[in-house]
Amino acid sequence: MSEKIKVKEKELQEFCTEVLKAAGVPGDDAGIVAASLVDADLAGTGSHGVTRMSDYLGRMEQGLVSPVTKIDLVRETPSTALLDANDGWGQVASERAVELAVRKAGEVGSAWVGVRNSNHNGTAAYWTEKIARQGMVGICSMNTSPVMAAHGSKRPTLGTNPLSIAVPSSSGRPVVLDMATSNQARGKIILAAKNDDPIPEGWAITQEGLPTTDAKEALKGSVLPLGGPKGSGLAIMLDILSGVLTGASFGASMPRMYDDPAPQRVGHIFSAIDIEVFMPPDEFLARMDEKERETREGPPAPGFERVRMPGDGRHERQAERRAHGIPLSREVYAELLDLAGRYGVPTGKLERGVVSG
Amino acid sequence: MSEKIKVKEKELQEFCTEVLKAAGVPGDDAGIVAASLVDADLAGTGSHGVTRMSDYLGRMEQGLVSPVTKIDLVRETPSTALLDANDGWGQVASERAVELAVRKAGEVGSAWVGVRNSNHNGTAAYWTEKIARQGMVGICSMNTSPVMAAHGSKRPTLGTNPLSIAVPSSSGRPVVLDMATSNQARGKIILAAKNDDPIPEGWAITQEGLPTTDAKEALKGSVLPLGGPKGSGLAIMLDILSGVLTGASFGASMPRMYDDPAPQRVGHIFSAIDIEVFMPPDEFLARMDEKERETREGPPAPGFERVRMPGDGRHERQAERRAHGIPLSREVYAELLDLAGRYGVPTGKLERGVVSG
């Protein structure tokens, strides 16, 4: 028996949409949230996938996330906008922000759109890919719960604030970078703590600011930024762009998703640049072909099979999982069935989507 | 006797301007280039300071950099522009690009401006600080000569493409990040090679793609990207934004500044976002005060005296050197005197600027 249960994309997405709707999320919004979660599972970033359904709905039940996302357009210029998500769904606000950024970039060449008082919106790559598929450069960042110390500090005042940049490619699959500004994902430390495994030095520090290889001590302490001052500086600047500038929470005062019973009021920032305002799209794609070829042809260093462009792994996993199903752990699968029970949603659709396991 | 010669900012800048003018660079342009170089020396990034005078002029004498920078506005929309620097001075083109980005952001809220067929333009922080001093967020990147291998490759197809982001602060000194996407500056490896010192593992690989601690082998090989795939991915995306998108050189085909007798045709990319289109500037500065305070108050981890905001070191060194003179090595000082001799510029101004050494 396989450890994982493989489920078809379409059925998983429709099932999650039904659960969200039954929980009180309007139909279109439920579809937007479900699409973002399933995309993350397809891409192999399960930490941002349907496992979040119960976390999200738990926070909604506590009144920390509004079921209906009322979005206010706070300020607007021809190339910028600021949205207030009023504690609604991060994905719903981000979908609107991306639409607005793309529309404005189409009108005046480029745009920056900020969102405040929002919530977790899935992977940053999901949003930049959407922009890239419109023939534009997409950029996205956001600030997250404080789990990372600034370089030289022992107090976590930073999220692992990700930066994503995506551009179109003639392959139809955007080249897309999505990087956290931490040295390692906190999820790996959580897993090591569960398994009583040590973690490598450089991943985290204790509450006292001392290097540690003890995963449990690390979880009480702080994740370390990517490459010391560089990742730390980048995380600070991204907190400023997505949090300070938008009027969202920022720094140490942002509530933690799992621990703090307060609305997070996360900030997001998006930019879109129309390729066409720099060069004809065909010329750009031909130049990208050369850049992609040059990079992938490496040649690889000893110990590596090949060299990849940012996003290659994401696209490969998505293709494989679209064809053969999305592997979910038995725990996550059971969580989904539980949610169906709680909200009175039939489980038939999910069960019919199972291809193996 | 001090090893360094300390020179006053004003005299150094005026002297460099005179030398550039005597070499055929128009007066205003000479002032722009000299200001950027002296700013780098003030900030403590001497690798981008007046030591470049002889490199720049050497390339100009070879016909690789045009003394007169003819800038074409290739494409323009309300929020974007593409400039062609026609192999002129990187600083002169960047000054124009920054002016244009700030003007457009003032008009429509935000802007992206690209430059192609340009040359080295000094530090990225110099340009983002200029934008921040106009009450805007400033972003700048550029692509540089290929000295870094993409993650998993043994061939240098990437520059150490820097990313700089700056924002205004109530202190009057912008918070400014300026990070190369390499693990370490190549300059440190050059220095180690000169001194026959070993370098730490993780800094570089040999031509064959093997880890090395031999600085000379490292110089024949490749610098490694910051944190492996993350720094590599970021450098690739910045090469795409500043090189592929603008129509500049990119990747492995960009000529090296010191080795290749061909115009580099570097690309730059700038963005400006008017703070005011997101919130009243006073409110932003008050929020920045909080972010700065929270970060600097750390508290510091064991082994650290204090926690810094990005750019703190830069501003401290600038204040100190403005007050007490800019330390130049005897070699660099001698180079400047040589240039004065070559172009028939009196050395009195530089000599009168010497405060010690």
Side-chain angles (χ1 to χ4, degrees):
Chain A
M1 197 181 83
S2 147
E3 268 190 34
K4 300 267 185 178
I5 298 176
K6 286 194 175 178
V7 185
K8 282 191 248 172
E9 174 192 11
K10 182 168 171 285
E11 280 74 5
L12 182 59
Q13 188 165 325
E14 286 176 4
F15 172 80
C16 289
T17 305
E18 289 307 313
V19 171
L20 289 161
K21 277 165 70 175
V25 181
D28 286 354
D29 294 1
I32 288 167
V33 175
S36 127
L37 297 176
V38 172
D39 179 86
D41 278 312
L42 281 169
T45 39
S47 58
H48 290 55
V50 297
T51 184
R52 296 269 178 161
M53 283 284 288
S54 61
D55 305 330
Y56 285 170
L57 288 169
R59 287 183 68 84
M60 197 182 87
E61 300 284 355
Q62 290 175 71
L64 308 175
V65 173
S66 298
V68 179
T69 306
K70 182 183 156 291
I71 299 171
D72 295 323
L73 178 59
V74 182
R75 283 170 178 247
E76 188 179 23
T77 70
S79 84
T80 67
L82 174 62
L83 305 179
D84 192 319
N86 292 301
D87 296 326
W89 289 81
Q91 283 89 345
V92 176
S94 298
E95 185 87 14
R96 180 78 66 84
V98 162
E99 277 168 21
L100 206 50
V102 167
R103 178 162 64 72
K104 285 177 181 286
E107 288 164 4
V108 296
S110 71
W112 282 95
V113 176
V115 181
R116 70 186 187 197
N117 301 332
S118 185
N119 280 293
H120 192 260
N121 69 356
T123 67
Y126 181 70
W127 305 108
T128 56
E129 268 205 3
K130 267 188 196 272
I131 300 173
R133 288 186 193 282
Q134 304 295 317
M136 297 187 179
V137 175
I139 300 176
C140 169
S141 186
M142 62 202 66
N143 58 1
T144 64
S145 315
V147 295
M148 186 165 90
H151 180 65
S153 174
K154 64 183 180 186
R155 179 179 175 225
T157 57
L158 292 167
T160 58
N161 308 341
L163 173 64
S164 178
I165 307 176
V167 296
S169 157
S170 67
S171 65
R173 297 180 302 276
V175 170
V176 53
L177 171 75
D178 187 353
M179 57 178 270
T181 44
S182 54
N183 240 343
Q184 288 295 331
R186 194 157 182 270
K188 287 193 193 171
I189 302 178
I190 294 174
L191 194 65
K194 267 189 198 171
N195 297 339
D196 265 326
D197 287 338
I199 54 168
E201 256 197 48
W203 283 24
I205 51 174
T206 66
Q207 265 182 315
E208 291 71 39
L210 297 166
T212 186
T213 57
D214 180 324
K216 291 193 180 83
E217 288 300 313
L219 289 180
K220 283 186 258 166
S222 293
V223 174
L224 284 173
L226 172 69
K230 290 184 183 179
S232 173
L234 187 53
I236 290 171
M237 300 314 294
L238 296 173
D239 193 25
I240 292 170
L241 291 189
S242 53
V244 177
L245 180 64
T246 62
S249 295
F250 60 86
S253 62
M254 183 186 289
R256 295 194 184 203
M257 187 188 276
Y258 298 107
D259 310 328
D260 296 325
Q264 287 197 291
R265 300 194 171 142
V266 166
H268 316 298
I269 189 102
F270 302 89
S271 186
I273 312 171
D274 198 355
I275 300 287
E276 215 162 7
V277 305
F278 281 92
M279 63 174 56
D282 284 355
E283 189 183 335
F284 177 79
L285 293 178
R287 289 167 66 85
M288 280 300 297
D289 284 348
E290 195 184 327
K291 179 73 197 163
E292 293 181 52
R293 185 195 50 69
E294 170 184 278
T295 304
R296 292 202 186 93
E297 287 182 0
F304 290 88
E305 267 182 35
R306 55 188 174 144
V307 187
R308 291 171 148 202
M309 282 296 276
D312 279 0
R314 179 179 164 81
H315 299 311
E316 285 163 19
R317 286 186 295 271
Q318 288 198 330
E320 198 276 331
R321 288 165 183 213
R322 283 216 162 91
H324 303 110
I326 296 170
L328 299 179
S329 73
R330 297 197 169 269
E331 290 74 20
V332 169
Y333 187 80
E335 271 173 21
L336 294 178
L337 293 179
D338 278 356
L339 289 174
R342 191 190 313 166
Y343 296 107
V345 172
T347 56
K349 167 107 44 188
L350 181 63
E351 285 154 1
R352 278 192 302 280
V354 172
V355 289
S356 74
Chain B
M1 196 180 82
S2 148
E3 266 189 33
K4 301 266 185 177
I5 298 177
K6 286 195 175 177
V7 185
K8 281 191 249 174
E9 174 193 9
K10 181 168 172 284
E11 280 75 5
L12 182 59
Q13 186 165 326
E14 286 175 4
F15 172 80
C16 290
T17 304
E18 289 308 312
V19 170
L20 289 161
K21 277 165 70 175
V25 181
D28 286 354
D29 294 1
I32 289 168
V33 175
S36 126
L37 296 176
V38 171
D39 179 85
D41 278 313
L42 280 170
T45 40
S47 58
H48 290 55
V50 297
T51 184
R52 297 268 177 161
M53 283 283 287
S54 61
D55 306 329
Y56 285 170
L57 289 169
R59 287 183 68 84
M60 196 184 87
E61 300 285 354
Q62 290 176 73
L64 307 176
V65 173
S66 298
V68 179
T69 307
K70 182 181 157 292
I71 299 172
D72 295 325
L73 178 59
V74 182
R75 283 170 178 247
E76 189 179 22
T77 71
S79 83
T80 67
L82 174 61
L83 305 179
D84 191 319
N86 293 299
D87 296 326
W89 288 80
Q91 283 88 344
V92 177
S94 298
E95 185 87 14
R96 180 79 67 84
V98 162
E99 278 169 19
L100 207 49
V102 167
R103 179 162 62 73
K104 284 176 180 288
E107 287 164 3
V108 295
S110 72
W112 282 94
V113 175
V115 180
R116 72 186 187 196
N117 301 332
S118 186
N119 280 293
H120 192 262
N121 69 355
T123 66
Y126 181 70
W127 306 108
T128 56
E129 267 204 6
K130 267 188 196 273
I131 299 173
R133 288 186 193 284
Q134 304 296 318
M136 298 187 179
V137 175
I139 300 177
C140 169
S141 187
M142 62 202 67
N143 58 3
T144 65
S145 315
V147 295
M148 186 165 90
H151 180 65
S153 173
K154 65 184 182 186
R155 178 177 175 226
T157 57
L158 292 167
T160 58
N161 309 341
L163 173 63
S164 178
I165 306 177
V167 295
S169 158
S170 67
S171 65
R173 297 179 302 275
V175 170
V176 53
L177 171 76
D178 187 354
M179 57 176 270
T181 44
S182 53
N183 239 342
Q184 289 295 332
R186 195 158 180 270
K188 288 193 192 171
I189 303 178
I190 295 174
L191 193 66
K194 267 190 196 167
N195 296 339
D196 266 325
D197 285 337
I199 56 168
E201 256 196 49
W203 284 22
I205 50 174
T206 66
Q207 264 182 315
E208 291 72 38
L210 296 168
T212 186
T213 57
D214 180 326
K216 291 192 179 83
E217 289 300 313
L219 289 179
K220 283 185 257 166
S222 294
V223 173
L224 283 172
L226 172 67
K230 290 183 183 180
S232 173
L234 187 54
I236 290 171
M237 301 314 294
L238 296 174
D239 192 24
I240 292 170
L241 291 190
S242 54
V244 176
L245 180 65
T246 62
S249 295
F250 60 87
S253 62
M254 183 186 290
R256 295 194 185 204
M257 186 188 278
Y258 298 107
D259 310 327
D260 296 324
Q264 286 198 291
R265 303 197 168 138
V266 166
H268 316 299
I269 189 100
F270 303 89
S271 186
I273 312 170
D274 197 353
I275 300 287
E276 216 162 6
V277 303
F278 281 93
M279 63 173 56
D282 283 352
E283 190 183 334
F284 177 78
L285 294 178
R287 289 167 67 84
M288 280 300 297
D289 284 347
E290 196 184 326
K291 179 73 196 163
E292 294 181 51
R293 185 196 49 71
E294 170 185 278
T295 305
R296 292 201 185 93
E297 287 182 2
F304 290 88
E305 266 181 38
R306 57 189 172 144
V307 187
R308 292 172 146 199
M309 282 296 278
D312 278 359
R314 178 178 165 81
H315 299 309
E316 285 163 18
R317 287 185 295 271
Q318 288 196 331
E320 198 276 330
R321 288 165 184 212
R322 282 217 161 94
H324 302 112
I326 296 170
L328 299 178
S329 72
R330 297 197 169 270
E331 291 74 21
V332 169
Y333 187 81
E335 270 173 23
L336 294 178
L337 293 179
D338 278 357
L339 288 174
R342 191 191 313 166
Y343 295 107
V345 171
T347 57
K349 166 108 41 189
L350 182 63
E351 285 154 0
R352 278 193 300 279
V354 172
V355 288
S356 74

